[in-house]
Amino acid sequence: MAYILFTLSVLLVMGFVGFSSKPSPIYGGLALIISGVVGCVIVLNCGGVYMGLMMFLVYLGGMMVVFGYTTAMAIEEYPETWGSGLEVLGGLLVGLMMEVMLVLWVLSLDEAVVVVVGFSDTGDWVIFEGEGSGLIRGDSIGAGALYDYGRWLVVVAGWTLFVGVYVVIEIVRGN
Amino acid sequence: MTLTYMNIMLAFTISLLGMLTYRSHLVASLLCLEGMMMSLFIMATLIASNTHFPLVNIMPIILLVFAACETAVGLALLISISNTYGLDYVHNLNLLQC
């Protein structure tokens, strides 16, 4: 249970290898959604509850849905999955083997005295809390400070979104 | 924790390599771009939680805003390519022959 964060990060890399080996985009979208879920659980394990919720709502629930039906519009009749064809399967296996060998190499560094990526002390994993998990969660307070210290940033971001929508309309209009 | 950071940076590099190589579809490169943004979001949130610096949490939120803009523009380009050529195959984009 102490190594849950490391295991989740290894699963994240494997999910990223899954869509970087370029199968058909509908399967790539599936791998990205699974990677997003794993990444959200990583964020939750470090106490970032609001950030995990943001990622689920905005990223997976907004952008991936748009990706899903855009991909459904521009897809061929027989999409190639990870098992069909040697290129995608080869890329996936090379990526997974790279990750497994990296994890085994890092695990074997336990007995070194001075090492950058040491694995032996638990002090790496413990996140100290001052007063326990109280009523004020750090990430929601920090993101709420966007509207206090970052007033101008909110105005700029809102204007960027508005101009972005206008750019999208002009691109799609064509002719 | 350094190992988790190493894995997240590795995920970013793998997505970067996936974005820079083209196979047949253009939307697969856009998916790898989304993966890069997601790994940056996770990394920034972990740093904000582990260094107990809550104000840094503004940065992933703003990164998400601008990544959404970028996704919208990328998908709009994809739609206009798909309207012209039928599919988003990369070898259809051959007007520039040099």
Side-chain angles (χ1 to χ4, degrees):
Chain A
M1 194 57 200
Y3 299 133
I4 188 80
L5 199 56
F6 181 67
T7 311
L8 282 172
S9 64
V10 169
L11 287 178
L12 183 82
V13 173
M14 290 185 177
F16 269 53
V17 168
F19 69 78
S20 288
S21 56
K22 301 292 193 78
S24 180
I26 202 73
Y27 294 109
L30 181 68
L32 190 58
I33 289 177
I34 294 176
S35 303
V37 172
V38 170
C40 182
V41 176
I42 289 177
V43 164
L44 288 179
N45 262 321
C46 290
V49 190
Y50 178 75
M51 286 297 152
L53 183 68
M54 274 302 111
M55 204 170 113
F56 251 112
L57 276 178
V58 174
Y59 200 88
L60 294 184
M63 298 184 353
M64 278 307 120
V65 164
V66 174
F67 249 107
Y69 61 72
T70 308
T71 305
M73 276 171 48
I75 200 169
E76 67 252 4
E77 196 178 356
Y78 294 105
E80 60 172 349
T81 171
W82 293 283
S84 67
L86 208 53
E87 303 153 333
V88 182
L89 189 62
L92 182 71
L93 288 179
V94 161
L96 292 184
M97 199 156 4
M98 179 269 303
E99 175 67 16
V100 165
M101 288 201 308
L102 193 65
V103 167
L104 289 177
W105 172 68
V106 156
L107 283 180
S108 76
L109 284 180
D110 251 345
E111 50 269 355
V113 176
V114 176
V115 72
V116 177
V117 280
F119 205 67
S120 53
D121 48 338
T122 344
D124 272 346
W125 307 97
V126 175
I127 305 167
F128 75 95
E129 298 273 346
E131 59 276 355
S133 64
L135 285 176
I136 299 179
R137 302 295 300 181
D139 50 347
S140 49
I141 291 294
L146 173 65
Y147 300 97
D148 180 12
Y149 298 112
R151 294 184 296 263
W152 181 239
L153 190 55
V154 168
V155 171
V156 168
W159 186 251
T160 305
L161 282 172
F162 174 69
V163 173
V165 166
Y166 188 67
V167 163
V168 162
I169 289 176
E170 286 297 319
I171 287 176
V172 170
R173 198 203 320 215
N175 56 11
Chain B
M1 186 49 74
T2 51
L3 297 171
T4 311
Y5 289 149
M6 177 195 83
N7 270 328
I8 296 174
M9 287 192 269
L10 195 64
F12 176 81
T13 312
I14 288 173
S15 280
L16 178 68
L17 284 176
M19 192 191 79
L20 295 177
T21 58
Y22 286 119
R23 285 193 66 229
S24 47
H25 278 277
L26 189 66
V27 68
S29 290
L30 289 183
L31 272 173
C32 290
L33 194 63
E34 291 305 304
M36 284 163 64
M37 290 293 151
M38 179 164 74
S39 71
L40 286 178
F41 180 90
I42 295 171
M43 183 84 158
T45 309
L46 286 191
I47 286 177
S49 290
N50 284 332
T51 55
H52 292 273
F53 193 6
L55 279 184
V56 171
N57 280 121
I58 291 178
M59 182 247 172
I61 300 277
I62 295 296
L63 183 72
L64 218 54
V65 167
F66 290 119
C69 282
E70 172 188 354
T71 304
V73 172
L75 286 177
L77 289 172
L78 189 85
I79 289 298
S80 67
I81 288 176
S82 178
N83 280 343
T84 317
Y85 293 106
L87 281 174
D88 62 334
Y89 282 156
V90 175
H91 63 74
N92 281 333
L93 310 172
N94 53 3
L95 287 179
L96 187 70
Q97 294 164 1
C98 56

